[in-house]
Structures are given as C-alpha cells and as structure tokens.
Amino acid sequence: MLNKAVFNWSGGKDSALALHYIQQQKEFEIRTLLTSINDTYNRISMHGVRAELLHNQASALEIPLTELRLPENPTMEEYNVLLSELNADLKLQGITHSIFGDIFLEDLRKYREEQLTKVGIKAHFPLWKRNTKELIHEFIDLGFKTIVVCTKAELLGKDFVGEVITKDFLKELPKNVDPCGENGEFHTFVYDGPIFKKAISFTVGDKIYRTYEAPKKKEDACFSTTSTLKEIGFHFCDLVPK
C-alpha cells in the first residue's frame, strides 16, 4: 500500500524535479499539492506568481491543490498557527508524509520536521544532499522548462528575471550563486516538463523592484542570507496567463 502524502509545491524547479522522482519511485500516493498564497494579492507567497498560473499547473499535473492562505505580512507565530491547523486537518484525512524539494538547508529541514512531528506526519526530502549543479543539469536534460521570476538584488540583477534557465544561462551565474538558487538567490516557475500533461501558457509581463525589511531573527527568514542590510531588495518578473 502506498503512503498517503501531501506534496509541498512552490511552482518552481526543485518542486518539479522532486515530484518527478516521487512519481518514478511509486512509494507515495500524492493526495494533494500544498502551496502558500498571499491572500491580499492572490499570488504565491515566496515569489509572487499569480495564483491562476498555480491552478493551471495543478490542472496540468492532474493533482488536487490545497492552498494555505496567508495575510500580507504574517508573523512567524501566525504562520506556525495556520500551518499547524492545516497539517492537523491533513493528518485527519489520512496523510502520513509531507514531501519537500529542499536540498541542503539544515535549519529549514529541522523546522519542517519539528512542525510536522507535532501532528504525527513524517517529512520526506527526495533531493536531500544532492549536488545542485548535477540536479539542475538533470532537470534540463529531462526536458523541464522553467523561467526565473524573482532574484535577490544584491546577488542577481534584473536582467536575470524573465530568463528561461538553460545551460547557457547557468554559465552566466556568478560563482557565489548556487546553481539551484538553494540559498534564496532566485526563484522560478516551471511551465513544461515530463510531469505535466500540457505546457502552461503565459506571457512575460512587467519587471519590478521591491524592498522588504530584513528579518531580525534567523528563524524568521524564508531564505538564507548573510546580509547585514536593514532592507533586502528583490527583482520580480510578472507572468500573465494566456
């Protein structure tokens, strides 16, 4: 009997490759995708992709979608409460495992495992400790297609957002940027690949720059950072559904 699982879906490349692995291994039954949504703007919390495109992904994957609706700027305490309530509900639905596309951030893995343990769900990380350069090349070789939708401005300029990740693109990345953006250097939206029944259609819209108050505590950060700046800037590229 397959383990009933929820798959934590960001819409990006690491999620897509991790889901591909899970589907090949035949160990888990993915009952639902789970994505955090900024309820104010109706966009994916991490990188601002429109919820409509997320819904199009779920439809092309033929997997139900569960949304964790969040206020515009939730505190870590508010986020933990909402997440715990949702995880407890998933547990009642028979979910035994929660799957993530994380690769090497130890603190993030520890946080996820601690939150899930509270409700009796096990965390699973199919990409854990894999070489990120090998992963991104495998991702491309498998036929996945993904576009950069957000970059941390102190590391990558606005010319990188709106670019499709290819092997030539990877050659242009600065040496201090992880090939998979695992430290939060960039985020992506996957629009085609072997896990999709059809490609996701969109046009590239406006590019914008926004700054956010830097997290005061490490545990409040949704990305890894060594910056001492009071504000952190990000470049975003809007994707408009066709």
Side-chain angles (χ1 to χ4, degrees), residues 214-232:
K216 295 181 176 61
K217 297 183 297 182
K218 188 174 183 180
E219 58 267 28
D220 288 345
C222 61
F223 45 82
S224 175
T225 179
T226 56
S227 173
T228 57
L229 300 175
K230 293 184 179 179
E231 288 187 331
I232 300 178

Side-chain angles (χ1 to χ4, degrees), residues 81-195:
V81 168
L82 291 170
L83 181 61
S84 294
E85 291 175 348
L86 188 147
N87 282 333
D89 184 57
L90 290 171
K91 176 67 175 179
L92 290 174
Q93 296 176 38
I95 297 296
T96 60
H97 289 75
S98 188
I99 303 171
F100 300 89
D102 302 314
I103 304 171
F104 60 68
L105 296 180
E106 298 280 0
D107 287 351
L108 185 56
R109 174 170 178 155
K110 181 181 178 182
Y111 167 78
R112 299 198 195 286
E113 289 175 334
E114 289 175 347
Q115 295 301 309
L116 290 166
T117 297
K118 294 177 182 177
V119 296
I121 294 177
K122 296 179 181 179
H124 183 67
F125 302 85
L127 305 184
W128 192 247
K129 294 299 185 180
R130 286 285 307 276
N131 180 286
T132 52
K133 183 176 181 180
E134 292 177 0
L135 281 176
I136 190 62
H137 279 268
E138 180 181 359
F139 176 87
I140 295 170
D141 290 342
L142 284 168
F144 282 104
K145 295 180 181 179
T146 192
I147 185 170
V148 177
V149 292
C150 172
T151 65
K152 189 187 292 186
E154 64 180 290
L155 295 172
L156 293 173
K158 70 176 182 179
D159 290 342
F160 284 90
V161 291
E163 290 295 310
V164 173
I165 292 185
T166 62
K167 292 184 179 181
D168 286 337
F169 171 92
L170 297 174
K171 295 175 184 177
E172 300 299 320
L173 288 177
K175 292 183 179 180
N176 62 335
V177 172
D178 182 78
C180 283
E182 178 70 353
N183 294 305
E185 299 99 327
F186 62 91
H187 299 285
T188 63
F189 175 80
V190 178
Y191 59 91
D192 201 3
I195 59 177

